[in-house]
Amino acid sequence: MVYAEHAPFDEGHLKVSELHSLHYMQTGNPQGKPVVFLHGGPGGSAGVTDTIYFDPAVFRVVLFSQRGCGKSTPAGETKENTTWDLVADIERLREHVGIDKWIVFGGSWGSTLALAYSQTHPDRVQALALRGIFLFRRKEIEFFWLTGTRWFWPAEWEEFAAPIKPEDRRDFETFSQAYYALLTHPDDKISLDAAQRWSRWESQVARLLPEHEAIAKSDTDIRWARCVGDVLGLESVLSVDYRTFALMECHYSLNHGFMPDGHLITEEQIAKIRHIPCAVAQGRYDLVCPVLSAHDLAQAWGKGLRLHIVDDAGHSAKEPGTSKILSQAGLG
């Protein structure tokens, strides 16, 4: 259903501010159809394992790790790290690699970023290929971290929420603020325990059929990505660790994605991109980014969006039904 991983023909770092430099790579056909791959998280990374959705003879794939993520520097840095900083970074990268227009491919948080970028630079987007729609609305954040997914995974949620006092679980603001304090605690034992709990919670619920063996290994490996990165569709080796992943997700969630609630599907914003072809792959049983968000995006968009509901999938891009759409229909 997917292609073999392909090594980069170009790799480097792009300085995007006095503080941040992005690690990027290009794979596939240098003369092919250009695609930019936007990884999930926030806090994930991009690498060669993410090239499996693209025919290397057809596509020129540009991948990069967002600010503070993967091999980008400084690692785990939340300063100067907002949605709109990342949108500007994508445009700087496009100019740096000399591409006029490209297909924008993103899943989960990557779909959020893809929409934000395309609405800011619609003239630079040839098409959108999205997966696991996340619009960073308050109800989506609360559903996953506090009020919804716990109905399906109650014991696992209790383990995740265990370090947080009951009085700090009353709403997402107090819950995430309490977690952020743990994630940034100077005592490594405290911060790593919180980061592991945060990351483990997400990896447990990301697939329709959980990979319990891979998840269990994360309990003894500080480099979480070696064990369960593939569960979430993130690069699986030496790229994502507990603290970066958890801290970035908490940072962005605390700030509600740095945008007003519902911003990405207002008529004003959708009108900017409605003319752009868009394909969406969405797992029916996605508990991280529930199908309602994809439905709401399709309703706001209208006829130009092709929504593919995968009836045997959860959140991960690497579940077979989702992978098939992303590698075959998603870029068609």
Side-chain angles (χ1 to χ4, degrees), residues 2 4 33 37 51 85 91 93 101 118 143 145 155 171 173 177 204 224 237-239 250 265 270 292 324:
V2 296
K33 297 179 183 179
F37 178 92
T51 64
D85 289 319
E91 186 63 3
L93 182 58
K101 297 180 71 172
S118 63
F143 178 90
W145 297 115
D171 56 49
E173 278 74 19
Q177 286 166 4
Q204 284 173 320
W224 168 71
V237 180
L238 297 178
S239 56
C250 193
I265 55 170
I270 292 294
L292 178 62
K324 178 180 179 180

Side-chain angles (χ1 to χ4, degrees), residues 119 122 264 266-275 300-301:
Q119 290 169 0
L264 295 173
T266 62
E267 175 57 27
E268 179 183 3
Q269 294 304 114
I270 292 294
K272 297 175 182 178
I273 58 173
R274 191 173 276 126
H275 64 285
W301 196 298

Side-chain angles (χ1 to χ4, degrees), residues 152-316:
F152 300 89
W153 294 83
E156 291 77 8
W157 187 85
E158 287 296 337
E159 289 182 11
F160 163 58
I164 308 302
K165 298 175 182 178
E167 60 267 29
D168 288 333
R169 302 180 189 181
R170 63 183 181 276
D171 56 49
F172 183 75
E173 278 74 19
T174 54
F175 184 84
S176 57
Q177 286 166 4
Y179 235 110
Y180 192 83
L182 295 175
L183 292 169
T184 56
H185 198 283
D187 186 331
D188 271 357
K189 185 176 180 180
I190 293 174
S191 63
L192 281 173
D193 176 72
Q196 185 185 47
R197 288 175 186 272
W198 183 286
S199 301
R200 196 173 197 271
W201 163 245
E202 184 158 344
S203 64
Q204 284 173 320
V205 304
R207 286 179 178 255
L208 177 60
L209 301 176
E211 293 189 353
H212 294 291
E213 183 178 349
I215 294 166
K217 289 180 181 178
S218 69
D219 290 336
T220 57
D221 193 341
I222 190 172
R223 298 299 299 187
W224 168 71
R226 292 177 184 162
C227 302
V228 296
D230 272 343
V231 175
L232 297 175
L234 304 172
E235 188 183 9
S236 58
V237 180
L238 297 178
S239 56
V240 184
D241 63 41
Y242 289 116
R243 266 184 295 203
T244 295
F245 186 78
L247 182 60
M248 287 297 176
E249 281 204 339
C250 193
H251 166 68
Y252 272 79
S253 296
L254 259 174
N255 289 283
H256 296 275
F258 299 92
M259 66 184 80
D261 196 54
H263 172 76
L264 295 173
I265 55 170
T266 62
E267 175 57 27
E268 179 183 3
Q269 294 304 114
I270 292 294
K272 297 175 182 178
I273 58 173
R274 191 173 276 126
H275 64 285
I276 299 172
C278 180
V280 175
Q282 176 68 48
R284 171 73 69 188
Y285 301 103
D286 188 338
L287 293 180
V288 181
C289 300
V291 67
L292 178 62
S293 296
H295 173 79
D296 288 348
L297 176 64
Q299 290 293 103
W301 196 298
K303 295 181 180 179
L305 183 148
R306 290 179 291 134
L307 176 58
H308 304 268
I309 302 296
V310 186
D311 286 327
D312 60 351
H315 181 66
S316 176

